[in-house]
């Protein structure tokens, strides 16, 4: 329980850092910290496989790409002044959402399962168990998610593709003239 | 299972051994490169230059530790620490011998069911060291180096992951010790071609992952000074060097463990010296030495790839070849065996 309290507070502090830190790189690093803390939480539940996947996918791939994009765009100096009313509206919405979450959790009659129960259900988060669920029960969903990701990727490639340079008639005329003068020169020799 | 104290002592010993090996690998590398390039290499400090690493270490400690004034100080200091921490922790999951063979103790620090994924996960976090170091130094060369390194490591992780899949499919486990014990080459001769392809793809990806020539673009000194290392000096620079060599050793040990039987020695030697193939650590170190030599040999032989060649090779050839090996392995297992 003490471990959980420490890890949970580190995760929450990291998550707050993502929102509150001004420097985008620091915010992204803070998110990495949160994700790694979550992985450690999985380890305390003996779900080693989930923890490793969490680190590989989120820590090793997704966040590196995040940082890559932040560094590439170099957005650290873009600090726009926001409308004052927008800031207050954001505070309000955040407050309402947080209160809703806490009240919802308090009103929920279900008891949070015991640490031991969670651990037994996960059964060490063994890859074989996860594979059976993922490729058995949720096969269709799994495939659909794959198609969705592919669509997203194709869309991203389509978005960044530069339009082909249009050949205007003026350009073609110019090239024809060039070619004609080249031919004249060659003939003159 | 060993007690917590024994595990702790083993972890300390492993870290010390890795760092000691790092110091002497620098000497071995420079001497070998010297030989391959028809020059002497360091041979003045002590017999055969054996005291050179100590002199280098002292130099690094006493050098002025410069923190660039425009640097992001926190990240600048954090980055080399990330590199060395994750480099050292990755090696812990690699088994060095059969259970209980090291004076009654197990010759590994961690025996995880997901040992293979653990090594991949920890090494993939190590990229943050290079990446953040280059950014925090606030210099264009360092930034270019770190952008290159992240793109390269992400690209070659695909080849690495896909070529590992063949081994996982054959072994049916992610536990490195069990992979070594079952001996993946002994399952069926039909699996040899895909395994050989996967082995080749894995070695190439591993070299790219540890940023060695011909894939050392993050620190290409003719183009971007020294890449992410440009603004580092003294101890922090030494930490990066340590991380690079420890990563090389982890890669060598990982390749040996996955594809070459790890800590197991050739069994025919047992008829002369009984039990020699079961000796802990010896065989793993011997196999690692072969790959370390290969890395140095490649550095003396091959020119560096251009950036577009690197990307094309990774995405258009290595990725497809590794995928092909995976499909072939799957097909053999599903339809023939």
């Amino acid at each position: 329980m003490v471990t959980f309290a420490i890890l949970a507070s580190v995760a929450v502090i990291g998550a707050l850092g993502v929102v509150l830190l001004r420097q985008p790189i620091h915010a992204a690093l803070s998110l990495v910290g949160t994700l790694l803390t979550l992985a450690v939480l999985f380890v305390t539940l003996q779900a080693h496989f989930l923890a490793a996947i969490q680190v590989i996918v989120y820590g090793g791939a997704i966040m590196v790409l995040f940082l890559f994009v932040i560094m590439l765009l170099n957005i650290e100096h873009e600090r726009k002044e926001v409308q004052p009313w927008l800031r207050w509206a954001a505070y309000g919405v955040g407050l309402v959402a947080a209160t809703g979450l806490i009240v919802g959790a308090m009103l929920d009659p279900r008891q949070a399962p015991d640490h031991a129960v969670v651990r037994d259900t996960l059964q060490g988060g063994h890859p074989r168990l996860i594979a059976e669920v993922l490729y058995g029960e949720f096969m269709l969903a799994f495939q659909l998610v794959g198609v969705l990701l592919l669509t997203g990727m194709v869309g991203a490639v389509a978005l960044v593709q530069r339009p082909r340079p249009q050949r205007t008639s003026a350009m073609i005329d110019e090239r024809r003239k060039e070619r004609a003068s080249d031919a004249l020169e060659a003939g003159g020799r | 299972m060993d007690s917590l104290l024994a595990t702790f002592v083993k972890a300390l010993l492993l870290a010390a051994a890795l760092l000691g090996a790092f110091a002497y690998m620098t000497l071995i590398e420079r001497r070998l490169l010297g030989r391959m390039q028809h020059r002497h290499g360091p041979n003045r400090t002590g017999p055969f230059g054996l005291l050179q690493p100590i002199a280098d270490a002292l130099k690094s400690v006493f050098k002025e530790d410069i923190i660039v004034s425009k640097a992001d100080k926190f990240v600048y200091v954090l980055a080399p620490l990330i590199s060395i921490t994750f480099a050292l922790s990755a090696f812990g999951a690699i088994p060095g011998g059969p259970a209980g063979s090291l004076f009654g103790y197990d010759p590994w620090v961690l025996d995880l069911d997901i040992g293979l994924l653990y090594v991949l996960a920890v090494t993939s976090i190590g990229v943050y060291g290079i990446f953040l170091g280059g950014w925090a130094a606030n210099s264009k060369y360092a930034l270019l180096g770190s952008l290159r390194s992240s793109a390269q490591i992400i690209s070659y992780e695909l080849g690495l992951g896909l070529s590992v899949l063949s081994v996982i499919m054959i072994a049916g486990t992610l536990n490195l010790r069990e992979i070594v014990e079952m001996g993946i080459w002994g399952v069926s001769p039909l699996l040899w071609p895909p395994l050989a392809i996967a082995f080749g793809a894995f070695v190439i990806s591993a070299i790219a992952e540890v940023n060695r020539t011909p894939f050392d673009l993050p620190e290409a000194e003719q183009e971007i000074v020294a890449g992410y290392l440009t603004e580092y000096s003294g101890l922090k620079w030494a930490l990066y060097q340590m991380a690079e060599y420890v990563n090389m050793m982890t890669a060598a040990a990982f390749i040996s463990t996955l594809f070459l039987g790890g800590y197991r020695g050739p069994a025919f030697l047992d008829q002369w010296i009984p039990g020699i193939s079961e000796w802990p650590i010896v065989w793993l170190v011997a196999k690692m030495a072969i790959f370390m030599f290969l890395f140095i040999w490649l550095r003396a032989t091959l020119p560096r790839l251009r950036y577009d060649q690197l990307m094309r090779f990774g995405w258009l050839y290595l990725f497809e070849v590794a995928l092909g090996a995976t499909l072939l392995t799957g097909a053999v297992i599903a339809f023939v065996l």
Side-chain angles (χ1 to χ4, degrees):
Chain A
M1 197 59 212
V2 179
T3 336
F4 175 78
I6 296 170
L7 286 172
S9 38
V10 172
V12 170
I13 291 169
L16 283 176
V18 180
V19 190
L20 297 178
L21 287 174
R22 295 230 155 200
Q23 168 71 259
I25 297 271
H26 291 169
L29 271 184
S30 193
L31 187 53
V32 175
T34 305
L35 294 172
L36 292 186
T37 320
L38 283 183
V40 179
L41 265 177
F42 289 147
V43 171
T44 62
L45 292 169
Q46 304 293 323
H48 292 147
F49 179 73
L50 277 182
I53 292 298
Q54 167 96 357
V55 174
I56 292 174
V57 175
Y58 285 99
I62 293 181
M63 285 318 294
V64 173
L65 284 180
F66 265 48
L67 284 168
F68 187 80
V69 171
I70 293 173
M71 285 186 194
L72 211 59
L73 298 182
N74 202 13
I75 48 176
E76 54 187 294
H77 297 302
E78 272 183 35
R79 201 171 289 160
K80 280 186 200 151
E81 270 309 307
V82 279
Q83 301 281 329
W85 65 267
L86 198 63
R87 180 165 301 193
W88 285 108
Y91 285 152
V93 170
L95 201 66
V96 168
T99 323
L101 202 65
I102 293 167
V103 170
M106 293 286 183
L107 291 182
D108 196 339
R110 283 175 299 176
Q111 278 285 316
D114 205 39
H115 198 272
V117 177
V118 175
R119 204 169 50 202
D120 290 346
T121 320
L122 284 172
Q123 292 181 9
H126 202 280
R128 184 158 294 155
L129 292 167
I130 293 172
E132 273 164 13
V133 178
L134 200 60
Y135 298 116
E137 202 178 332
F138 295 110
M139 189 62 193
L140 183 67
F142 180 74
Q143 304 253 343
L144 287 177
V145 168
V147 174
L148 194 67
L149 281 176
L150 186 68
T151 319
M153 215 147 67
V154 173
V157 171
L159 278 178
V160 296
Q161 199 138 51
R162 279 189 215 130
R164 283 242 175 96
Q166 291 278 319
R167 272 200 181 179
T168 57
S169 55
M171 270 170 70
I172 295 172
D173 281 349
E174 207 168 296
R175 193 158 296 164
R176 202 173 281 156
K177 260 181 219 158
E178 264 172 35
R179 234 179 256 154
S181 64
D182 283 353
L184 272 179
E185 255 175 52
R189 250 180 246 139
Chain B
M1 281 293 277
D2 291 335
S3 66
L4 205 60
L5 180 69
T7 309
F8 180 68
V9 171
K10 278 190 296 187
L12 279 185
L13 284 178
L14 177 68
L18 283 173
L19 294 180
F22 145 72
Y24 277 90
M25 271 316 295
T26 58
L27 178 68
I28 294 169
E29 169 156 23
R30 288 163 73 189
R31 294 283 297 189
L32 278 175
L33 282 178
R35 241 180 185 284
M36 290 174 187
Q37 297 165 347
H38 297 287
R39 54 189 179 81
H40 288 296
N43 64 353
R44 299 285 105 180
T45 331
F48 309 108
L50 278 177
L51 298 177
Q52 186 71 38
I54 298 167
D56 284 342
L58 284 176
K59 185 192 79 177
S60 293
V61 172
F62 287 116
K63 242 184 153 176
E64 187 187 355
D65 187 27
I66 299 168
I67 294 186
V68 189
S69 61
K70 287 289 172 72
D72 186 315
K73 297 214 173 45
F74 176 66
V75 182
Y76 185 79
V77 177
L78 183 71
L81 295 178
I82 294 179
S83 260
I84 188 67
T85 311
F86 286 98
L88 284 174
S89 23
F91 204 101
I94 291 170
S101 61
L102 191 74
F103 309 113
Y105 293 104
D106 296 336
W108 54 75
V109 181
L110 297 164
D111 180 30
L112 295 169
D113 275 340
I114 47 129
L116 196 156
L117 287 179
Y118 169 84
V119 177
L120 287 181
V122 172
T123 46
S124 74
I125 293 296
V127 65
Y128 281 103
I130 294 177
F131 195 41
L132 292 172
W135 173 80
N138 207 353
S139 133
K140 58 188 166 196
Y141 298 117
L143 185 68
L144 279 175
S146 67
L147 287 178
R148 280 181 176 191
S149 80
S150 59
Q152 171 179 336
I153 288 178
I154 292 258
S155 307
Y156 280 78
E157 238 163 37
L158 286 174
L160 198 78
L162 277 174
S163 41
V164 164
L165 272 184
S166 302
V167 178
I168 300 175
M169 278 195 285
I170 295 170
T173 173
L174 293 168
N175 188 320
L176 291 172
R177 190 171 44 80
E178 285 170 17
I179 290 176
V180 170
E181 273 165 13
M182 89 167 278
I184 48 165
W185 294 88
V187 175
S188 158
L190 284 172
L191 288 169
W192 289 357
L195 260 183
I197 299 171
F199 174 60
F202 190 85
V203 172
I204 295 173
S205 321
I207 296 171
E209 286 286 301
V210 296
N211 298 326
R212 290 288 297 185
T213 322
F215 304 108
D216 59 340
L217 279 98
E219 44 177 312
E221 65 268 21
Q222 293 92 339
E223 305 160 23
I224 50 173
V225 192
Y228 65 97
L229 284 171
T230 307
E231 307 292 346
Y232 279 96
S233 64
L235 260 186
K236 297 200 193 70
W237 179 84
L239 283 179
Y240 270 127
Q241 292 297 318
M242 276 180 211
E244 179 176 336
Y245 279 84
V246 172
N247 277 332
M248 270 165 71
M249 285 184 255
T250 311
F254 200 40
I255 297 169
S256 323
T257 302
L258 288 178
F259 290 95
L260 299 181
Y263 57 72
R264 300 205 307 181
F268 66 87
L269 289 176
D270 283 338
Q271 50 185 317
W272 294 298
I273 308 169
I276 191 173
S277 68
E278 299 279 302
W279 284 4
I281 300 181
V282 179
W283 294 109
L284 185 66
V285 170
K287 288 168 187 175
M288 280 166 66
I290 296 172
F291 284 102
M292 297 303 279
F293 179 76
L294 176 77
F295 294 159
I296 296 168
W297 190 14
L298 284 177
R299 179 170 170 190
T301 312
L302 293 175
R304 180 181 306 123
L305 265 71
R306 235 175 29 227
Y307 191 68
D308 59 318
Q309 291 171 332
L310 173 96
M311 282 296 152
R312 191 175 312 133
F313 180 74
W315 286 97
L316 295 187
Y317 302 109
L318 198 67
F319 179 67
E320 273 71 11
V321 166
L323 193 64
T326 310
L327 287 177
L328 203 59
T329 315
V332 170
I333 290 176
F335 300 121
V336 185
L337 298 179

